[in-house]
């Protein structure tokens, strides 16, 4: 079922009302004098995988920057768990349960896998606990625990970035272009982990340029074009919209 960007149903079916964990209301953002987000409305429910799709330059990454307090909006509100956090610092949102894994991974390339995980012990967890969780999700990290992270494959580095991000036990996990430059089999494996994380109650927002890498595990998806949310709906409906509209079946 398709919905409008404001979330109003266009079909007759009733929608279960669930308090969103994340809301963007009328977000505008600019780089200098050039506005790139033009009133973005977005809401993510607890425990769902929400895919934000669209071509390069659509405003997807800027939306994530605003959401994670890496960039201030020029107008609008950011609401997390019912609380207006517009203007908060990124570190405060991280402590509140928001974790972002940016495009290009978020690891220390000159440290080993184990040392990277040790850097996450600031969360109060023991290294042994972090390693158990990381190697349980990503067997290959266990096999490479003593290897310098920068010498691993791109897929293995992305696994390590996810393991580090999950060390904080986030309520919301934000993934920016998770599949960038990775082989299809690795992407499939990573998104299998994404689905499992969501089943554990974590809300996940995924930005992807290419829809089919994420729609298979998404609960809802949105199309962003020219700094606006064009449509929101179930994955099958959104895929049809993408294919017919502007991605040419990507």
């Amino acid at each position: 079922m398709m919905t409008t960007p404001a979330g109003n149903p266009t079909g007759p079916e009733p929608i279960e009302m669930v308090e969103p964990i994340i809301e963007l209301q009328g977000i505008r953002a600019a780089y200098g004098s050039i506005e790139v987000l033009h009133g973005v409305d977005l809401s993510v429910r607890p425990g769902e995988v929400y895919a934000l799709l669209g071509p390069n330059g659509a405003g997807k990454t800027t939306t994530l920057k605003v959401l994670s307090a890496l960039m201030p909006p020029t107008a609008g509100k950011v609401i997390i768990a019912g609380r207006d956090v517009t203007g908060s610092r990124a570190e405060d949102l991280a402590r509140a349960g928001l974790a972002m894994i940016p495009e290009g991974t978020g690891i220390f390339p000159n440290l080993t896998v184990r040392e990277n995980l040790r850097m996450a012990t600031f969360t109060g967890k023991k290294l042994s606990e972090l390693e158990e969780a990381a190697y349980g999700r990503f067997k290959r990290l266990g096999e490479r625990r003593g290897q310098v992270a920068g010498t691993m494959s791109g897929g293995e580095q992305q696994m390590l970035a996810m393991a580090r991000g999950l060390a904080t036990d986030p309520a919301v996990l934000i993934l920016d272009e998770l599949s960038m430059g990775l082989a299809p089999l690795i992407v499939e494996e990573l998104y299998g982990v994404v689905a499992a994380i969501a089943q554990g109650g974590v809300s996940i927002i995924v930005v992807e340029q290419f829809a089919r890498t994420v729609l298979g595990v998404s609960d809802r998806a949105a199309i962003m074009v020219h700094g606006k949310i064009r449509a929101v709906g179930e994955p099958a409906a959104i895929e049809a919209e993408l294919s017919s509209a502007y991605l040419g079946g990507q």
Side-chain angles (χ1 to χ4, degrees):
M1 178 182 66
M2 294 290 291
T3 63
T4 66
N8 296 321
T10 58
E13 307 96 315
I15 293 179
E16 182 183 356
M17 299 304 293
V18 178
E19 186 73 21
I21 185 127
I22 291 282
E23 286 186 275
L24 298 182
Q25 297 180 352
I27 291 294
R28 293 180 177 270
Y31 294 100
S33 62
I34 301 174
E35 187 173 83
V36 294
L37 298 182
H38 314 293
V40 171
D41 295 311
L42 180 154
S43 68
V44 180
R45 302 164 186 155
E48 80 170 338
V49 179
Y50 187 102
L52 184 58
L53 311 172
N56 283 334
K60 304 185 303 296
T61 295
T62 301
T63 300
L64 297 190
K65 286 181 178 179
V66 171
L67 173 58
S68 55
L70 296 176
M71 179 177 179
T74 56
K77 293 182 179 181
V78 180
I79 298 174
I80 298 180
R83 185 165 63 96
D84 187 347
V85 297
T86 313
S88 296
R89 299 179 302 171
E91 54 265 36
D92 292 333
L93 295 190
R95 292 190 190 98
L98 188 148
M100 180 174 178
I101 299 175
E103 179 184 346
T105 74
I107 62 170
F108 296 98
N110 296 323
L111 300 181
T112 66
V113 168
R114 195 165 193 264
E115 288 167 343
N116 265 274
L117 294 175
R118 180 179 286 117
M119 296 293 288
T121 55
F122 73 90
T123 60
K125 289 187 177 181
K126 296 179 180 179
L127 177 60
S128 58
E129 294 175 325
L130 296 178
E131 286 190 289
E132 181 179 1
Y135 305 155
R137 288 191 177 102
F138 304 107
K139 183 179 178 181
R140 266 177 286 185
L141 292 183
E143 297 169 351
R144 289 159 174 73
R145 68 188 70 189
Q147 185 171 336
V148 174
T151 66
M152 299 193 302
S153 70
E156 290 163 349
Q157 291 183 38
Q158 194 66 273
M159 292 174 189
L160 179 56
M162 288 181 66
R164 281 175 44 81
L166 291 167
T168 61
D169 286 332
V172 179
L173 181 65
I174 302 174
L175 304 171
D176 189 8
E177 299 287 3
L178 182 64
S179 66
M180 182 65 70
L182 303 182
L185 285 177
I186 297 297
V187 173
E188 183 178 354
E189 181 179 350
L190 288 173
Y191 274 114
V193 173
V194 167
I197 294 167
Q199 288 174 1
V202 178
S203 299
I204 301 177
I205 304 173
V206 184
V207 156
E208 279 284 1
Q209 181 180 356
F210 300 107
R212 287 179 181 167
T213 57
V214 64
L215 284 175
V217 300
S218 299
D219 297 296
R220 285 190 303 148
I223 300 172
M224 174 169 268
V225 183
H226 302 311
K228 296 181 179 180
I229 299 292
R230 168 171 161 172
V232 181
E234 296 177 355
I238 288 296
E239 183 172 18
E241 179 82 3
L242 284 166
S243 298
S244 63
Y246 60 92
L247 287 189
Q250 292 281 356

